[in-house]
Amino acid sequence: MAADDTTTPDESAERTDFVRERVQQDLATDRFGGRVQTRFPPEPNGYLHVGHAKAIHLDFELAREFGGTCILRFDDTNPDTEDTSFVEGILGDLNWLGYEPDDVVYASDYFEQLYAWAELLVTDGKAYVDDQDLDTIRAQRGGYGKPGVESPCRDRPPEENLDLLRRMRAGEFDDGAMVLRAKIDMQHENMQLRDPVMYRIRRGHHHRTRDAWVIYPTYDWAHGQSDAIEGTTHSLCTLEFDSHRPLYDWFLEQLPLPNDRPYQTEFARLELTHTITSKRKLAQLVADGVVDGWDDPRLPTLRALRRRGYPASAIREFCAYIGVARTNSRHQIELLESFVRTELNRTAQRRMAVLRPLRLSITNWPTDDAGEPIVEQFDIVNNPENADDGTRSVAFTGELWIEQDDFMVDPPKKFFRLSPGREVRLRGAYFVTCTGFETDDDGNVTRVLAEYDPATKGGSAPDGRKVKSTMHWVSAHHAVSATVALYERLFTAEVPGEATGDPFDDLDRSSREVLVDCKVEAALGDTTPGEVVQFERLGYFALDPRDPMWFHRTVGLRDEWANIQKRQG
RNA sequence: UCCGGGGUCGUUCAAUGGUAGGACAGCGGUUUUUGGUGCCGUUUAUAGGGGUUCGAGUCCUCUCCCCGGAACCA
């Protein structure tokens, strides 16, 4: 299932939670004859996001751990909002996350069985057709602490209900004209049990069944029954379905099931700081053009995280780490990012890239017989964390690009980088000492002058003298131009909408900064689409899957200097 | 208002009647040809009251706070 499994058996054996304990107990009591089957049931009306990743991880890993199966079931009971493009998107995203369902099914596969069972409930006097309008039915449902009142249709004889239901299916009535309701208890303290709707009339085009049906089952009527039909044992869902559980059980108790009766267990959904996971709001961001599309790297969708360079394994590790519980919680986005950094630190190749270029001229750089500046090649380590990644050759000359942030005329305390009179190391090349700088009419530094020490070739001094800083650089003659997108949090507030109730009030519309004409080392021209590399001292960057010279910042490196600056104000 | 679910460091997850621990974040140090990584150290928590017990985060009880539930959404 997981493409690469980095957890040791020991760790996974130690890891336990209330869901796994229930499964253990079911195994011990032989509740399902030793079977464990879970399902991930997305509605195909949007794309998967990190919140889904938690559920997917639970469903699939649980099945794997207990030698069971996990299937993907599209909960396609509402033709108005669903689409095949989402089906395909979800399939692809799930696959990228590293999971292969044991089967792919659709709730719509069960429409015929569901309908037959509905007729059975009608015949048994446990369901009835209600032809009142929506507002009336809603008003009759009562409220918290207020009992409901029974529908005048409640005592319609079964034969009449059956006739009406058949004619509903046959398309004799208009959309919304009537519904089929379960006959449970209008006084129940749990509102879900006050005669819930099972079927509604809707003449939308269903993405799979086309126009075969004009009545569609509601979530409650479809979900548990679908679980039972396909042999799911452990039906895992999020906390908001807690009050639906008695209804889930009630329906299943009334029916002749082909399998053992599954049961529902709820857990807390994943929330992240600075993030929204509401599908509706996400869709609005896309529709309003606040972001570029469903895969805009600032979004928490799986396709966005992928494009941004988040490794699927890091997301899986994160999910394993946070575990599963019933406590509502909101994890800091920094925790997810730390898993991303840990993974990328291990795997990403190091490269040098100058995002905001400043010219550095080495005034004592030698020329050859023809008077041309000489070019040196240095072998630089690709990843100090992994010797097998070897080295690459990088060209060095007397005209270089360095980062604007790496030079200051009047450096404050604790600034270790280049400034007049100071010596620094150019990574893998030479020590250089700043001898001067040039400015334009506005006083902006346009060029830094320095002298190099030929004895420090390769980056170390034979006399053992130290420098406080090592800087990245790119040879001006060999540099390649690239576009780099930097991303800040899409929402400035930890909890978007907490202050005003509207998350969009916390939107940072300048959360993307696109830098053009960045100067990067030639080897970056060989980066493969989607590959993530580390720009030394800056962060991890993913090459866009379509644009060959466009990098997205996955996540920055931890930045001690930024912390110091913040403290100094 | 009624029903249900929750409340442990700043955040989050553990501790299953027996020393409240880890991670992230922070801070300090150390190593370092990335102010990265690694390593070491360190600050901070059981919502409140009563009870049971030799012993309570854990069991009982009252109070407080947070979340969810009244679509022909899922």
Side-chain angles (χ1 to χ4, degrees):
Chain A
M1 296 206 175
D4 58 322
D5 188 11
T6 49
T7 40
T8 67
D10 274 339
E11 279 174 54
S12 57
E14 280 170 29
R15 184 101 218 170
T16 190
D17 52 62
F18 79 102
V19 178
R20 273 162 249 257
E21 279 168 13
R22 285 184 187 188
V23 175
Q24 303 269 15
Q25 197 179 346
D26 293 337
L27 256 19
T29 59
D30 205 32
R31 180 167 181 171
F32 297 106
R35 291 183 59 246
V36 174
Q37 181 169 312
T38 57
R39 99 275 91 111
F40 174 62
E43 185 187 9
N45 67 347
Y47 292 102
L48 264 24
H49 54 66
V50 257
H52 294 113
K54 174 179 177 175
I56 291 167
H57 185 269
L58 212 213
D59 285 323
F60 281 85
E61 294 295 339
L62 191 78
R64 188 182 59 81
E65 283 165 37
F66 291 97
T69 53
C70 179
I71 70 184
L72 172 64
R73 182 179 76 232
F74 287 100
D75 224 333
D76 54 350
T77 57
N78 187 350
D80 294 349
T81 57
E82 298 155 5
D83 200 280
T84 39
S85 65
F86 292 122
V87 169
E88 281 152 24
I90 288 169
L91 246 14
D93 290 344
L94 182 68
N95 220 266
W96 171 74
L97 227 209
Y99 296 101
E100 193 71 56
D102 289 297
D103 200 1
V104 178
V105 299
Y106 298 79
S108 55
D109 295 342
Y110 312 140
F111 279 178
E112 204 62 60
Q113 174 64 267
L114 252 17
Y115 178 78
W117 277 342
E119 285 205 353
L120 179 65
L121 289 193
V122 167
T123 307
D124 290 348
K126 292 169 181 166
Y128 61 97
V129 172
D130 195 328
D131 54 15
Q132 300 178 101
D133 64 64
L134 196 147
D135 292 332
T136 306
I137 291 177
R138 187 185 298 152
Q140 287 170 350
R141 189 129 36 212
Y144 302 140
K146 286 187 294 252
V149 304
E150 296 183 352
S151 164
C153 308
R154 207 170 194 260
D155 294 319
R156 210 193 287 276
E159 314 76 58
E160 199 182 322
N161 282 322
L162 194 57
D163 175 59
L164 249 20
L165 176 60
R166 287 178 175 163
R167 288 165 59 197
M168 274 171 70
R169 175 178 182 172
E172 288 188 29
F173 308 112
D174 290 341
D175 283 17
M178 51 187 73
V179 291
L180 182 72
R181 292 226 261 167
K183 192 171 177 177
I184 308 181
D185 180 359
M186 288 306 290
Q187 272 72 250
H188 202 105
E189 69 236 3
N190 183 344
M191 303 281 287
Q192 307 305 140
L193 264 24
R194 319 247 263 224
D195 291 10
V197 172
M198 296 167 63
Y199 276 105
R200 70 281 215 201
I201 305 172
R202 251 179 166 85
R203 254 163 267 258
H205 277 277
H206 189 279
H207 69 108
R208 299 197 90 225
T209 60
R210 307 285 170 178
D211 302 318
W213 294 83
V214 296
I215 58 171
Y216 288 92
T218 56
Y219 166 85
D220 288 300
W221 173 238
H223 206 88
Q225 285 56 252
S226 299
D227 285 343
I229 292 166
E230 65 204 16
T232 286
T233 56
H234 300 267
S235 185
L236 309 176
C237 63
T238 44
L239 247 27
E240 67 268 28
F241 293 101
D242 178 282
S243 58
H244 293 242
R245 182 168 10 103
L247 179 55
Y248 181 102
D249 292 334
W250 188 89
F251 277 134
L252 292 179
E253 280 161 15
Q254 318 304 319
L255 303 168
L257 304 178
N259 293 296
D260 289 331
R261 204 163 89 212
Y263 75 101
Q264 173 181 304
T265 301
E266 314 84 27
F267 60 93
R269 62 163 0 111
L270 170 65
E271 304 276 9
L272 289 174
T273 55
H274 303 287
T275 305
I276 58 166
T277 47
S278 152
K279 267 197 266 187
R280 220 192 87 244
K281 296 254 162 55
L282 254 18
Q284 197 182 331
L285 287 175
V286 175
D288 292 354
V290 176
V291 294
D292 275 350
W294 285 97
D295 64 348
D296 184 298
R298 290 167 292 178
L299 256 21
T301 53
L302 259 26
R303 52 194 43 218
L305 297 180
R306 172 188 194 172
R307 185 161 174 227
R308 186 167 180 159
Y310 276 39
S313 62
I315 297 172
R316 280 188 257 120
E317 292 289 317
F318 170 75
C319 291
Y321 183 81
I322 61 173
V324 33
R326 287 178 68 87
T327 316
N328 287 309
S329 61
R330 185 180 304 269
H331 285 81
Q332 293 175 328
I333 188 82
E334 289 84 353
L335 181 62
L336 208 208
E337 290 175 341
S338 80
F339 278 89
V340 172
R341 285 198 193 94
T342 299
E343 175 66 14
L344 259 16
N345 179 52
R346 248 186 57 226
T347 58
Q349 300 257 316
R350 312 290 131 118
R351 295 289 184 267
M352 291 195 286
V354 176
L355 268 31
R356 295 180 173 89
L358 173 62
R359 194 71 172 239
L360 174 70
S361 301
I362 298 175
T363 52
N364 60 340
W365 188 250
T367 51
D368 61 16
D369 296 342
E372 292 296 315
I374 64 167
V375 174
E376 276 200 58
Q377 294 289 332
F378 289 107
D379 287 332
I380 297 183
V381 170
N382 283 325
N383 185 354
E385 305 295 319
N386 181 9
D388 292 344
D389 280 341
T391 61
R392 68 191 185 285
S393 185
V394 185
F396 184 93
T397 62
E399 291 295 328
L400 304 164
W401 293 111
I402 61 169
E403 210 69 59
Q404 286 172 21
D405 284 351
D406 284 344
F407 176 79
M408 284 186 101
V409 177
D410 279 314
K413 253 185 147 79
K414 295 195 175 173
F415 180 87
F416 301 149
R417 283 105 99 142
L418 205 59
S419 57
R422 190 171 293 173
E423 182 174 52
V424 301
R425 171 167 40 233
L426 295 179
R427 171 78 152 135
Y430 289 103
F431 284 13
V432 296
T433 302
C434 176
T435 55
F437 59 91
E438 295 170 359
T439 57
D440 62 18
D441 294 341
D442 299 326
N444 301 311
V445 177
T446 52
R447 185 175 175 224
V448 177
L449 306 174
E451 289 184 357
Y452 84 113
D453 177 358
T456 57
K457 182 169 181 165
S460 57
D463 62 4
R465 76 179 189 275
K466 305 282 189 207
V467 288
K468 300 265 278 202
S469 180
T470 298
M471 292 172 19
H472 61 279
W473 50 270
V474 175
S475 163
H477 292 108
H478 303 85
V480 175
S481 282
T483 300
V484 176
L486 305 180
Y487 301 103
E488 299 299 332
R489 335 229 90 126
L490 223 205
F491 295 92
T492 51
E494 282 210 343
V495 184
E498 194 180 36
T500 64
D502 182 2
F504 286 22
D505 289 339
D506 294 314
L507 220 37
D508 178 1
R509 286 170 191 274
S510 56
S511 47
R512 177 176 67 183
E513 184 180 7
V514 179
L515 304 174
V516 297
D517 218 13
C518 300
K519 304 298 184 186
V520 307
E521 68 168 270
L524 281 170
D526 301 328
T527 313
T528 56
E531 184 181 355
V532 186
V533 296
Q534 185 195 99
F535 290 174
E536 288 213 44
R537 304 207 303 137
L538 298 175
Y540 298 97
F541 292 80
L543 183 61
D544 190 80
R546 295 177 288 276
D547 190 327
M549 262 344 247
W550 178 298
F551 291 89
H552 305 277
R553 181 167 66 188
T554 309
V555 62
L557 258 24
R558 280 188 56 201
D559 190 347
E560 179 67 16
W561 172 234
N563 280 352
I564 292 170
Q565 283 175 305
K566 216 179 294 170
R567 257 177 280 148
Q568 289 176 344

